[in-house]
Amino acid sequence: MWGGRFAEGPAAVMREINASIPFDKRLWEQDIRASKAHVAMLGAQGIVSAEDAQTISDGLDKVAAEYAAHGVPVDLALEDIHMATEARLAELIGPTAGRLHTARSRNDQVATDFRLWVRDAMDAVDAGLEALQKALVIRADAHADDVMPGFTHLQSAQPVTLGHHLMAWYEMIRRDRARFAEARTRLNECPLGAAALAGTGFPIDRHATANALGFDKPTDNSLDSVSDRDFALDYLMAASQCALHLSRMSEEIVIWASQPFGFVALPDQWSTGSSIMPQKRNPDAVELIRGHAGRITGCLNALMMTMKGLPLAYSKDMQDDKPPVFEAHDLLALSIAAMTGMTESVTFRTDRMRALAESGFATATDLADWLVREAGLPFREAHHVTGRAVKHAEDLKCALSDIPLADLQAIHPAITASVYSVLTVDASVASRISHGGTAPAQVRTRIAAAKAVLGVA
């Protein structure tokens, strides 16, 4: 491609290190789309003849059909997907193919192709996350009344409902979708026409190519256009946060599936056995999701380190922008699909959840609140009185609701029989009626709102 300047070809190692076709062949669909938009604009502007523009466009369709049927051939001499496509186009239509690269550079070409790919990836991730949200909402609706322990420090804290817990996961994924949507909005400007770094003297119409490719507008600075990879970093940042959420969800399933907890029974299709211990049912799917989070955040770090010291405009280091994004996307897509499958098919052992919610004095806060509300105690005094009641229940080896009234009144005389109405786990969760609380009525309100957004009946 630059034989006029160089008398000799590259060394074998140089050819290998310089080539990106082994990984950027994934951009072939975006490269064809962008090239067709570019040549259509060249024809409309009279920069190439209408006949040549049509010949090139038809040729690109033939190249695309070959790629779709047989994949992209890897030839290190052709370096990248852009040169590979142009070379194959020349074989099909002859010298006319050389007009395709008029008024563009590989710099703005790859910036455009990569933006298109990342935009497509964001749309695919959003669809996957929407499916996960729907699975969460459906399961939450079925378990809006089922009581389970709520934890802080992984210690039993207050009773909540399983539906409330699942809707907490829903909220995490809702924010992830918002992050991808915000990143997509920032991404959606078209670099095509910025050329190598300074724009072009040809009378191109950048708005036409931007519109043809579904961008909101062309980028406004040619230097920034070819050197910006913020959109890739935005994708990786959103992907990393999403992976962290999926990892936290996975950790809870791992804990819940352990015999000491026994909150869930793992489905066959999302667990594995042991090569030596016949009784084992291992939560490998969610353990791998948890592991993928480290790799995805590593991809973010890799691209940040690549970009941190680069001057304007393009540097060859930026060829390494794509592998971490491709890797992170593949891992995230797998993680989302696996978490959706697990959510849809896991069995929640609500009897076990209730049993543990009823132990551990999870309604202690309800007793303290009752002392404040009914007996007029300052909360700190109520907290102290409740602590004494918990200690007495430990000595008796019973729940708070099973302490005799006389014993409670010995701890504080203001306690009456009506206190028992707040000491059951059902009464506790039913009382949490504040916006976003765990009361089943509140949970169902949140579920209804989520179903309306997701279009779930």
Side-chain angles (χ1 to χ4, degrees), residues 87-307:
R88 181 56 183 151
L89 182 66
E91 291 173 351
L92 291 173
I93 68 172
T96 301
R99 300 190 184 280
L100 172 59
H101 211 53
T102 306
R104 77 174 183 185
S105 162
R106 280 192 298 173
N107 292 355
D108 63 333
Q109 187 179 0
V110 68
T112 303
D113 291 356
F114 197 22
R115 279 184 188 242
L116 288 170
W117 192 94
V118 171
R119 191 177 69 183
D120 291 343
M122 288 177 174
D123 291 343
V125 166
D126 185 70
L129 291 176
E130 182 181 33
L132 175 54
Q133 283 184 307
K134 289 179 178 178
L136 288 169
V137 166
I138 290 169
R139 299 306 302 272
D141 195 21
H143 295 287
D145 293 295
D146 290 323
V147 176
M148 67 173 290
F151 299 96
T152 62
H153 308 278
L154 208 56
Q155 303 293 310
S156 183
Q158 292 176 297
V160 297
T161 66
L162 175 56
H164 191 54
H165 197 113
L166 294 174
M167 288 303 291
W169 290 358
Y170 169 90
E171 290 296 322
M172 294 158 72
I173 302 305
R174 180 185 61 80
R175 292 193 299 275
D176 291 327
R177 291 187 68 191
R179 269 182 282 272
F180 281 111
E182 291 158 6
R184 193 188 192 284
T185 297
R186 282 190 296 275
L187 168 151
N188 213 35
E189 297 179 2
C190 184
L192 194 58
L197 75 161
T200 179
F202 288 97
I204 63 173
D205 183 350
R206 293 192 62 205
H207 287 87
T209 48
N211 290 336
L213 293 170
F215 289 104
D216 296 329
K217 61 186 287 291
T219 51
D220 291 329
N221 183 284
S222 59
L223 280 169
D224 182 58
S225 298
V226 299
S227 61
D228 168 38
R229 293 299 184 270
D230 289 2
F231 63 92
L233 287 168
D234 278 351
Y235 175 84
L236 289 173
M237 288 175 187
S240 294
Q241 181 63 76
C242 182
L244 294 179
H245 282 155
L246 295 173
S247 180
R248 293 181 67 189
M249 294 161 64
S250 296
E251 174 68 6
E252 292 200 302
I253 293 175
V254 170
I255 292 170
W256 291 359
S258 67
Q259 281 77 12
F261 273 75
F263 284 3
V264 299
L266 295 173
D268 288 348
Q269 60 267 46
W270 296 106
S271 54
T272 65
S274 165
S275 62
I276 190 172
M277 296 169 285
Q279 83 281 9
K280 292 296 293 297
R281 181 186 292 271
N282 300 324
D284 283 7
V286 284
E287 288 177 344
L288 288 167
I289 294 171
R290 189 175 59 185
H292 287 171
R295 294 174 63 186
I296 291 170
T297 55
C299 291
L300 169 61
N301 189 64
L303 185 53
M304 288 194 296
M305 292 304 100
T306 295
M307 297 301 299

Side-chain angles (χ1 to χ4, degrees), residues 2 31 35 47 52 55 108 111 214 263 338:
W2 47 77
D31 194 60
S35 291
I47 298 171
D52 284 349
T55 298
D108 63 333
F263 284 3

Side-chain angles (χ1 to χ4, degrees), residues 350-392:
T350 54
D351 55 340
R352 174 66 175 166
M353 291 181 175
R354 169 174 280 274
L356 288 187
E358 290 174 341
S359 66
F361 314 112
T363 59
T365 305
D366 299 275
L367 173 56
D369 288 347
W370 184 92
L371 289 166
V372 171
R373 187 172 56 249
E374 302 297 330
L377 273 63
F379 182 80
R380 285 302 165 204
E381 182 181 352
H383 187 284
H384 180 72
V385 170
T386 300
R388 291 173 60 195
V390 169
K391 176 66 170 63
H392 189 60

